[in-house]
Amino acid sequence: MACTRPPSAPRNAISNVNETSVFLEWIPPADTGGRKDVSYYIACKKCNSHAGVCDECGGHVRYLPRQIGLKNTSVMMVDLLAHTNYTFEIEAVNGVSDLSPGARQYVSVNVTTNQAAPSPVTNVKKGKIAKNSISLSWQEPDRPNGIILEYEIKYFEKDQETSYTIIKSKETTITAEGLKPASVYVFQIRARTAAGYGVFSRRFEFETIPVSVAASSDQSQIPIIAVSVTVGVILLAVVIGFLLSGRRCGYSKAKQDPEEEKMHFHNGHIKLPGVRTYIDPHTYEDPNQAVHEFAKEIEASCITIERVIGAGEFGEVCSGRLKLPGKRELPVAIKTLKVGYTEKQRRDFLGEASIMGQFDHPNIIHLEGVVTKSKPVMIVTEYMENGSLDTFLKKNDGQFTVIQLVGMLRGIAAGMKYLSDMGYVHRDLAARNILINSNLVCKVSDFGLSRVLEDDPEAAYTTRGGKIPIRWTAPEAIAFRKFTSASDVWSYGIVMWEVVSYGERPYWEMTNQDVIKAVEEGYRLPSPMDCPAALYQLMLDCWQKERNSRPKFDEIVSMLDKLIRNPSSLKTLVNASSRVSNLLAEHGSLGSGAYRSVGEWLEAIKMGRYTEIFMENGYSSMDAVAQVTLEDLRRLGVTLVGHQKKIMNSLQEMKVQLVNGMVPL
Ligand code: AMP
């Protein structure tokens, strides 16, 4: 009989898809085969769901850290194809696996990659160079991930980066004109598909020729001048076209944030915005026109309503199915406008569709279309099986791995990056306004104009008359209505806190007035229980008083990606007890709080059954209780996660009240 044997299959594999990258995590096999040398091998198959056949993935897929001989129970695959079904088989192997005639033991995971922006342009060549112009050509990116709609070429004189010019081209060649002789210019190119822009290429430097050389070769330049003039005329036409067509966008942006509009003009150059700009439906004289520009009209007969799943401000929200001619039937959510609406209510209701219809991103709720030609008026969106994120997290308290939580946060940040790139400021970002589907993909929802805040039960009137969800809103937006993407970043920090604390209410039962005062005085929410230090630091960064010091959404996405790629960076947790005991040292003790004894406190939170254990183990005063850590609770035999949370949260809350809330920054 063999002394040892191959291991059994790895268990509980979970996947996290981020555009064209997939992160896999699993638990070691139940049976290691009696050996200590277990490692893992990842097999990758690309599957065609219609034909039901799978092929090997091929060499373009990269495995981080590696495909074979993995010691850790996680791996990341990057450079996969967009919109493709993959099956990954995670096999546990040991030193005798190769000797075994038995079947391979593996767990398989099926995933579908998302839409992704094109990879960078890598190959750029110079063409004709004159004293005032440089021609370039380049090759399509290695992974276009879709049909390339156009390229954007950014260039500037070396060391003068603040003043740059952007031109767009459908071809893979351009000529930059109007350059200075004998000067070095830096060029960067990026491609755009329906998924948006890819990242810019690395910098390519080319130098125009000096006047003297140019003069001697002027004869041979005549054809080039002719081409340059033509390109110049085309460029001028593009610029004028942009200025005319951009007026409406410009106005809408100006309405959202006048500071951003100025950025299009810098040192006399015109900077064309990188991504499509959000158009405020208010800028349309006829709101019906806006709806029909951005949303598809759906025949009511294509929709089957199944059940009511929620209540919106304007009427019921239902789940159902949408079957458009020639398309697969889809599960959908249907928002209805209740009967007896006013014209303004109809306009506001459809306003959300006019906004949503402008967005196309995997982390933004997708609009299927609207029904306006028959009654009831409806907005039809993709169906999100798990509903709103706050309710979902409360229902599944403590059930997810940190990586899963960070995956949710990454999705929300990616959606917000897209919105901020489009120039759209959400103003009501909160876990209740995020929807989550059965794959745990989070999508930003609840778009509206002024009505966003009207319909939010969390929104309260401020002294200046506006209605604002105080706990989620940046101080400058509360104080003087300065809503920007930076104030959305503040709200994002609060959403991070909600997610890591599984739907806890920010600032618990403190009143709105106390929250405003504490935040103004520099106090911040304490770290949620069991929170990785890196995540809490990111929250604190989002809550910087100075709004320009807060991270941008693209930085937040990169930071979360880094954490997902390197899960060990999430292992260091914030040591809540040491932080809170420091605060206690400064601010007094729990002994002077609301409860006279440990028994009274535990009874009040319905945990009276533990009174005896606490007393027997030396936690007989509220001061002693203040030092309790999660480990202590486990040691005392409080093993139920729900009870641990109840006790720790209550302690946290008492300490928070004690120091008027929060952590001084
Ligand atoms: P809202 O009016 O957008 O706040 O929607 C009210 C409630 O309906 C939400 O809190 C969700 O529970 C539910 N809901 C809205 N849209 C969807 C959707 N696309 N999929 C699933 N549930 C939804």
Side-chain angles (χ1 to χ4, degrees), residues 19 68 113 153 175 184 208 211 263 275 287 302 353 420 434 470 484 490 509 522 528 576 578:
E19 296 188 346
I68 303 170
T113 50
I153 303 95
T175 301
V184 176
T208 47
V211 178
M263 288 162 38
V275 184
C302 300
S420 66
I434 304 291
I470 301 291
T484 59
W490 178 291
E509 298 315 318
S578 70

Side-chain angles (χ1 to χ4, degrees), residues 236-263:
L236 197 64
V238 167
V239 167
I240 292 171
F242 166 73
L243 285 176
L244 290 178
S245 70
R247 279 183 60 151
R248 198 173 50 193
C249 312
Y251 171 49
S252 68
K253 270 188 83 82
K255 207 165 171 204
Q256 281 242 330
D257 186 354
E259 274 177 26
E260 287 175 24
E261 178 67 4
K262 290 178 210 139
M263 288 162 38

Side-chain angles (χ1 to χ4, degrees), residues 309-319 332-335 352 356 365-366 380-391 432-436 445-447 451 455 457:
I309 51 171
E313 192 207 353
F314 297 99
E316 284 166 342
V317 183
C318 304
S319 65
V332 285
I334 304 141
K335 284 190 179 184
E352 179 168 24
M356 214 191 286
I365 193 82
H366 173 73
V380 182
T381 65
E382 69 181 303
Y383 181 58
M384 302 292 283
E385 296 82 353
N386 283 318
S388 59
L389 182 61
D390 64 331
T391 317
R432 65 183 169 279
N433 290 331
I434 304 291
L435 292 166
I436 179 161
S445 91
D446 224 303
F447 301 102
R451 73 116 203 133
D455 103 16

Side-chain angles (χ1 to χ4, degrees), residues 148-163:
I148 294 194
L149 303 172
E150 65 182 0
Y151 293 93
E152 191 180 83
I153 303 95
K154 169 180 170 180
Y155 65 90
F156 52 91
E157 196 182 340
K158 196 173 178 186
D159 303 325
Q160 308 278 319
E161 188 167 359
T162 51
S163 173

Side-chain angles (χ1 to χ4, degrees), residues 396-603:
N396 294 283
D397 195 353
Q399 301 296 306
F400 300 111
T401 63
V402 170
I403 287 286
Q404 284 176 309
L405 296 179
V406 178
M408 295 175 198
L409 291 172
R410 196 268 174 204
I412 303 167
M416 289 308 299
K417 171 187 170 332
Y418 175 84
L419 293 182
S420 66
D421 285 348
M422 291 266 298
Y424 180 80
V425 178
H426 191 292
R427 298 174 176 226
D428 198 11
L429 179 59
R432 65 183 169 279
N433 290 331
I434 304 291
L435 292 166
I436 179 161
N437 71 13
S438 54
N439 292 322
L440 302 189
V441 175
C442 286
K443 308 203 180 196
V444 180
S445 91
D446 224 303
F447 301 102
L449 310 161
S450 52
R451 73 116 203 133
V452 171
L453 307 173
E454 296 290 312
D455 103 16
D456 189 334
E458 282 294 348
Y461 285 98
T462 62
T463 44
R464 297 189 46 169
K467 217 179 165 206
I468 289 175
I470 301 291
R471 285 154 214 271
W472 282 263
T473 305
E476 74 277 5
I478 296 176
F480 47 96
R481 303 235 191 163
K482 183 74 191 162
F483 284 96
T484 59
S485 291
S487 62
D488 277 352
V489 165
W490 178 291
S491 314
Y492 178 81
I494 305 285
V495 172
M496 288 183 75
W497 191 91
E498 292 184 273
V499 168
V500 181
S501 53
Y502 284 92
E504 189 83 58
R505 179 170 168 74
Y507 311 95
W508 302 277
E509 298 315 318
M510 281 172 74
T511 64
N512 280 341
Q513 275 320 310
D514 285 346
V515 171
I516 295 175
K517 184 163 166 280
V519 169
E520 264 309 314
E521 284 171 2
Y523 286 98
R524 297 294 182 264
L525 278 166
S527 158
M529 205 169 89
D530 284 346
C531 178
L535 288 186
Y536 185 54
Q537 186 54 52
L538 189 53
M539 293 178 206
L540 292 175
D541 291 344
C542 294
W543 302 328
Q544 295 270 347
K545 185 178 173 57
E546 169 51 54
R547 68 174 184 278
N548 295 320
S549 310
R550 294 172 203 153
K552 307 284 177 290
F553 280 114
D554 61 339
E555 291 163 342
I556 296 176
V557 173
S558 322
M559 163 81 98
L560 295 176
D561 278 342
K562 245 191 237 159
L563 296 176
I564 292 173
R565 273 200 300 273
N566 183 11
S568 59
S569 58
L570 291 162
K571 293 227 163 85
T572 314
L573 305 183
V574 176
N575 185 345
S577 69
S578 70
R579 180 175 50 72
V580 175
S581 14
N582 289 344
L583 288 174
L584 287 176
E586 282 172 40
H587 297 274
S589 71
L590 278 189
S592 56
Y595 302 107
R596 272 164 302 159
S597 71
V598 176
E600 189 182 316
W601 163 59
L602 286 170
E603 285 296 338

